[in-house]
PDB file of all heavy atoms in Angstrom:
ATOM      1  N   ASN A  42      77.010 -45.465 -42.985  1.00  0.00           N
ATOM      2  CA  ASN A  42      78.227 -45.701 -42.201  1.00  0.00           C
ATOM      3  C   ASN A  42      77.901 -45.209 -40.771  1.00  0.00           C
ATOM      4  O   ASN A  42      76.894 -44.652 -40.499  1.00  0.00           O
ATOM      5  CB  ASN A  42      79.423 -45.107 -42.840  1.00  0.00           C
ATOM      6  CG  ASN A  42      79.355 -43.596 -42.931  1.00  0.00           C
ATOM      7  OD1 ASN A  42      78.754 -42.949 -42.122  1.00  0.00           O
ATOM      8  ND2 ASN A  42      79.930 -43.012 -43.992  1.00  0.00           N
ATOM      9  N   LEU A  43      78.865 -45.442 -39.889  1.00  0.00           N
ATOM     10  CA  LEU A  43      78.641 -45.121 -38.458  1.00  0.00           C
ATOM     11  C   LEU A  43      78.368 -43.622 -38.290  1.00  0.00           C
ATOM     12  O   LEU A  43      77.450 -43.205 -37.571  1.00  0.00           O
ATOM     13  CB  LEU A  43      79.824 -45.565 -37.646  1.00  0.00           C
ATOM     14  CG  LEU A  43      79.689 -45.378 -36.131  1.00  0.00           C
ATOM     15  CD1 LEU A  43      78.446 -46.134 -35.578  1.00  0.00           C
ATOM     16  CD2 LEU A  43      80.941 -45.789 -35.370  1.00  0.00           C
ATOM     17  N   SER A  44      79.139 -42.760 -38.986  1.00  0.00           N
ATOM     18  CA  SER A  44      78.924 -41.333 -38.766  1.00  0.00           C
ATOM     19  C   SER A  44      77.579 -40.848 -39.317  1.00  0.00           C
ATOM     20  O   SER A  44      76.984 -39.919 -38.752  1.00  0.00           O
ATOM     21  CB  SER A  44      80.137 -40.523 -39.263  1.00  0.00           C
ATOM     22  OG  SER A  44      80.123 -40.508 -40.641  1.00  0.00           O
ATOM     23  N   GLN A  45      77.139 -41.477 -40.351  1.00  0.00           N
ATOM     24  CA  GLN A  45      75.775 -41.134 -40.853  1.00  0.00           C
ATOM     25  C   GLN A  45      74.661 -41.535 -39.897  1.00  0.00           C
ATOM     26  O   GLN A  45      73.710 -40.819 -39.673  1.00  0.00           O
ATOM     27  CB  GLN A  45      75.567 -41.806 -42.255  1.00  0.00           C
ATOM     28  CG  GLN A  45      76.389 -41.131 -43.380  1.00  0.00           C
ATOM     29  CD  GLN A  45      76.489 -42.024 -44.579  1.00  0.00           C
ATOM     30  OE1 GLN A  45      76.310 -43.235 -44.543  1.00  0.00           O
ATOM     31  NE2 GLN A  45      76.757 -41.376 -45.708  1.00  0.00           N
ATOM     32  N   ALA A  46      74.814 -42.696 -39.273  1.00  0.00           N
ATOM     33  CA  ALA A  46      73.881 -43.158 -38.214  1.00  0.00           C
ATOM     34  C   ALA A  46      73.943 -42.285 -37.040  1.00  0.00           C
ATOM     35  O   ALA A  46      72.921 -41.921 -36.444  1.00  0.00           O
ATOM     36  CB  ALA A  46      74.137 -44.618 -37.890  1.00  0.00           C
ATOM     37  N   GLU A  47      75.154 -41.864 -36.661  1.00  0.00           N
ATOM     38  CA  GLU A  47      75.288 -40.946 -35.469  1.00  0.00           C
ATOM     39  C   GLU A  47      74.654 -39.617 -35.777  1.00  0.00           C
ATOM     40  O   GLU A  47      74.026 -39.031 -34.892  1.00  0.00           O
ATOM     41  CB  GLU A  47      76.773 -40.758 -35.167  1.00  0.00           C
ATOM     42  CG  GLU A  47      77.388 -42.042 -34.509  1.00  0.00           C
ATOM     43  CD  GLU A  47      78.889 -41.892 -34.382  1.00  0.00           C
ATOM     44  OE1 GLU A  47      79.565 -40.985 -34.987  1.00  0.00           O
ATOM     45  OE2 GLU A  47      79.503 -42.736 -33.652  1.00  0.00           O
ATOM     46  N   GLY A  48      74.759 -39.099 -36.995  1.00  0.00           N
ATOM     47  CA  GLY A  48      74.141 -37.860 -37.366  1.00  0.00           C
ATOM     48  C   GLY A  48      72.661 -37.943 -37.320  1.00  0.00           C
ATOM     49  O   GLY A  48      71.935 -37.028 -36.826  1.00  0.00           O
ATOM     50  N   PHE A  49      72.090 -39.026 -37.825  1.00  0.00           N
ATOM     51  CA  PHE A  49      70.604 -39.202 -37.860  1.00  0.00           C
ATOM     52  C   PHE A  49      70.082 -39.215 -36.396  1.00  0.00           C
ATOM     53  O   PHE A  49      69.020 -38.649 -36.146  1.00  0.00           O
ATOM     54  CB  PHE A  49      70.248 -40.460 -38.582  1.00  0.00           C
ATOM     55  CG  PHE A  49      68.777 -40.640 -38.618  1.00  0.00           C
ATOM     56  CD1 PHE A  49      67.954 -39.810 -39.306  1.00  0.00           C
ATOM     57  CD2 PHE A  49      68.184 -41.722 -37.874  1.00  0.00           C
ATOM     58  CE1 PHE A  49      66.571 -40.018 -39.289  1.00  0.00           C
ATOM     59  CE2 PHE A  49      66.825 -41.900 -37.819  1.00  0.00           C
ATOM     60  CZ  PHE A  49      65.980 -41.029 -38.544  1.00  0.00           C
ATOM     61  N   TYR A  50      70.819 -39.944 -35.560  1.00  0.00           N
ATOM     62  CA  TYR A  50      70.312 -40.102 -34.202  1.00  0.00           C
ATOM     63  C   TYR A  50      70.998 -39.115 -33.179  1.00  0.00           C
ATOM     64  O   TYR A  50      71.131 -39.402 -31.985  1.00  0.00           O
ATOM     65  CB  TYR A  50      70.543 -41.548 -33.671  1.00  0.00           C
ATOM     66  CG  TYR A  50      69.449 -42.459 -34.173  1.00  0.00           C
ATOM     67  CD1 TYR A  50      69.767 -43.530 -35.060  1.00  0.00           C
ATOM     68  CD2 TYR A  50      68.148 -42.396 -33.726  1.00  0.00           C
ATOM     69  CE1 TYR A  50      68.765 -44.381 -35.521  1.00  0.00           C
ATOM     70  CE2 TYR A  50      67.181 -43.236 -34.170  1.00  0.00           C
ATOM     71  CZ  TYR A  50      67.464 -44.272 -35.030  1.00  0.00           C
ATOM     72  OH  TYR A  50      66.494 -45.136 -35.481  1.00  0.00           O
ATOM     73  N   ASP A  51      71.444 -37.980 -33.670  1.00  0.00           N
ATOM     74  CA  ASP A  51      72.168 -36.977 -32.863  1.00  0.00           C
ATOM     75  C   ASP A  51      71.371 -36.665 -31.554  1.00  0.00           C
ATOM     76  O   ASP A  51      71.988 -36.419 -30.528  1.00  0.00           O
ATOM     77  CB  ASP A  51      72.371 -35.743 -33.709  1.00  0.00           C
ATOM     78  CG  ASP A  51      73.408 -34.799 -33.021  1.00  0.00           C
ATOM     79  OD1 ASP A  51      74.483 -35.327 -32.766  1.00  0.00           O
ATOM     80  OD2 ASP A  51      73.102 -33.638 -32.763  1.00  0.00           O
ATOM     81  N   ILE A  52      70.064 -36.624 -31.652  1.00  0.00           N
ATOM     82  CA  ILE A  52      69.189 -36.318 -30.433  1.00  0.00           C
ATOM     83  C   ILE A  52      69.456 -37.307 -29.305  1.00  0.00           C
ATOM     84  O   ILE A  52      69.278 -37.006 -28.114  1.00  0.00           O
ATOM     85  CB  ILE A  52      67.759 -36.276 -30.842  1.00  0.00           C
ATOM     86  CG1 ILE A  52      66.865 -35.718 -29.776  1.00  0.00           C
ATOM     87  CG2 ILE A  52      67.230 -37.667 -31.266  1.00  0.00           C
ATOM     88  CD1 ILE A  52      65.435 -35.403 -30.268  1.00  0.00           C
ATOM     89  N   HIS A  53      69.965 -38.523 -29.607  1.00  0.00           N
ATOM     90  CA  HIS A  53      70.157 -39.542 -28.589  1.00  0.00           C
ATOM     91  C   HIS A  53      71.656 -39.638 -28.165  1.00  0.00           C
ATOM     92  O   HIS A  53      71.995 -40.528 -27.379  1.00  0.00           O
ATOM     93  CB  HIS A  53      69.680 -40.916 -29.057  1.00  0.00           C
ATOM     94  CG  HIS A  53      68.198 -41.000 -29.189  1.00  0.00           C
ATOM     95  ND1 HIS A  53      67.348 -40.664 -28.214  1.00  0.00           N
ATOM     96  CD2 HIS A  53      67.403 -41.391 -30.292  1.00  0.00           C
ATOM     97  CE1 HIS A  53      66.078 -40.825 -28.629  1.00  0.00           C
ATOM     98  NE2 HIS A  53      66.121 -41.241 -29.895  1.00  0.00           N
ATOM     99  N   ARG A  54      72.467 -38.741 -28.705  1.00  0.00           N
ATOM    100  CA  ARG A  54      73.924 -38.791 -28.387  1.00  0.00           C
ATOM    101  C   ARG A  54      74.061 -38.639 -26.850  1.00  0.00           C
ATOM    102  O   ARG A  54      73.380 -37.801 -26.241  1.00  0.00           O
ATOM    103  CB  ARG A  54      74.625 -37.624 -29.084  1.00  0.00           C
ATOM    104  CG  ARG A  54      76.123 -37.843 -29.289  1.00  0.00           C
ATOM    105  CD  ARG A  54      76.685 -36.668 -30.005  1.00  0.00           C
ATOM    106  NE  ARG A  54      76.397 -36.635 -31.456  1.00  0.00           N
ATOM    107  CZ  ARG A  54      77.160 -37.219 -32.401  1.00  0.00           C
ATOM    108  NH1 ARG A  54      78.203 -37.888 -32.041  1.00  0.00           N
ATOM    109  NH2 ARG A  54      76.790 -37.163 -33.683  1.00  0.00           N
ATOM    110  N   GLY A  55      74.918 -39.490 -26.224  1.00  0.00           N
ATOM    111  CA  GLY A  55      75.116 -39.431 -24.845  1.00  0.00           C
ATOM    112  C   GLY A  55      74.275 -40.355 -24.042  1.00  0.00           C
ATOM    113  O   GLY A  55      74.552 -40.611 -22.848  1.00  0.00           O
ATOM    114  N   LYS A  56      73.209 -40.937 -24.651  1.00  0.00           N
ATOM    115  CA  LYS A  56      72.394 -41.904 -23.926  1.00  0.00           C
ATOM    116  C   LYS A  56      73.109 -43.257 -23.901  1.00  0.00           C
ATOM    117  O   LYS A  56      73.945 -43.570 -24.789  1.00  0.00           O
ATOM    118  CB  LYS A  56      71.003 -42.019 -24.609  1.00  0.00           C
ATOM    119  CG  LYS A  56      70.203 -40.768 -24.433  1.00  0.00           C
ATOM    120  CD  LYS A  56      68.764 -40.903 -24.928  1.00  0.00           C
ATOM    121  CE  LYS A  56      68.109 -39.524 -24.795  1.00  0.00           C
ATOM    122  NZ  LYS A  56      66.854 -39.461 -25.619  1.00  0.00           N
ATOM    123  N   PRO A  57      72.784 -44.121 -22.913  1.00  0.00           N
ATOM    124  CA  PRO A  57      73.488 -45.347 -22.785  1.00  0.00           C
ATOM    125  C   PRO A  57      73.392 -46.280 -23.964  1.00  0.00           C
ATOM    126  O   PRO A  57      74.305 -47.073 -24.224  1.00  0.00           O
ATOM    127  CB  PRO A  57      72.918 -45.959 -21.519  1.00  0.00           C
ATOM    128  CG  PRO A  57      71.763 -45.147 -21.148  1.00  0.00           C
ATOM    129  CD  PRO A  57      71.855 -43.871 -21.836  1.00  0.00           C
ATOM    130  N   PHE A  58      72.291 -46.188 -24.741  1.00  0.00           N
ATOM    131  CA  PHE A  58      72.142 -47.090 -25.867  1.00  0.00           C
ATOM    132  C   PHE A  58      72.612 -46.436 -27.231  1.00  0.00           C
ATOM    133  O   PHE A  58      72.410 -47.109 -28.228  1.00  0.00           O
ATOM    134  CB  PHE A  58      70.610 -47.427 -25.978  1.00  0.00           C
ATOM    135  CG  PHE A  58      69.677 -46.317 -26.153  1.00  0.00           C
ATOM    136  CD1 PHE A  58      69.421 -45.787 -27.429  1.00  0.00           C
ATOM    137  CD2 PHE A  58      69.012 -45.764 -25.064  1.00  0.00           C
ATOM    138  CE1 PHE A  58      68.563 -44.751 -27.578  1.00  0.00           C
ATOM    139  CE2 PHE A  58      68.112 -44.698 -25.233  1.00  0.00           C
ATOM    140  CZ  PHE A  58      67.911 -44.174 -26.499  1.00  0.00           C
ATOM    141  N   PHE A  59      73.216 -45.274 -27.160  1.00  0.00           N
ATOM    142  CA  PHE A  59      73.585 -44.556 -28.415  1.00  0.00           C
ATOM    143  C   PHE A  59      74.559 -45.405 -29.294  1.00  0.00           C
ATOM    144  O   PHE A  59      74.324 -45.523 -30.504  1.00  0.00           O
ATOM    145  CB  PHE A  59      74.231 -43.248 -28.058  1.00  0.00           C
ATOM    146  CG  PHE A  59      74.577 -42.427 -29.292  1.00  0.00           C
ATOM    147  CD1 PHE A  59      73.593 -41.849 -30.104  1.00  0.00           C
ATOM    148  CD2 PHE A  59      75.881 -42.220 -29.677  1.00  0.00           C
ATOM    149  CE1 PHE A  59      73.911 -41.083 -31.239  1.00  0.00           C
ATOM    150  CE2 PHE A  59      76.256 -41.471 -30.786  1.00  0.00           C
ATOM    151  CZ  PHE A  59      75.263 -40.902 -31.567  1.00  0.00           C
ATOM    152  N   GLU A  60      75.599 -46.019 -28.640  1.00  0.00           N
ATOM    153  CA  GLU A  60      76.567 -46.750 -29.446  1.00  0.00           C
ATOM    154  C   GLU A  60      75.922 -47.989 -30.071  1.00  0.00           C
ATOM    155  O   GLU A  60      76.120 -48.293 -31.201  1.00  0.00           O
ATOM    156  CB  GLU A  60      77.777 -47.080 -28.566  1.00  0.00           C
ATOM    157  CG  GLU A  60      78.880 -47.595 -29.430  1.00  0.00           C
ATOM    158  CD  GLU A  60      80.166 -47.998 -28.616  1.00  0.00           C
ATOM    159  OE1 GLU A  60      80.286 -47.558 -27.480  1.00  0.00           O
ATOM    160  OE2 GLU A  60      80.975 -48.694 -29.220  1.00  0.00           O
TER     161      GLU A  60
END
Side-chain angles (χ1 to χ4, degrees):
N42 63 32
L43 184 61
S44 71
Q45 288 163 337
E47 287 172 346
F49 179 69
Y50 280 114
D51 195 53
I52 192 169
H53 293 306
R54 203 179 285 272
K56 293 188 182 162
F58 58 85
F59 183 72
E60 191 181 343

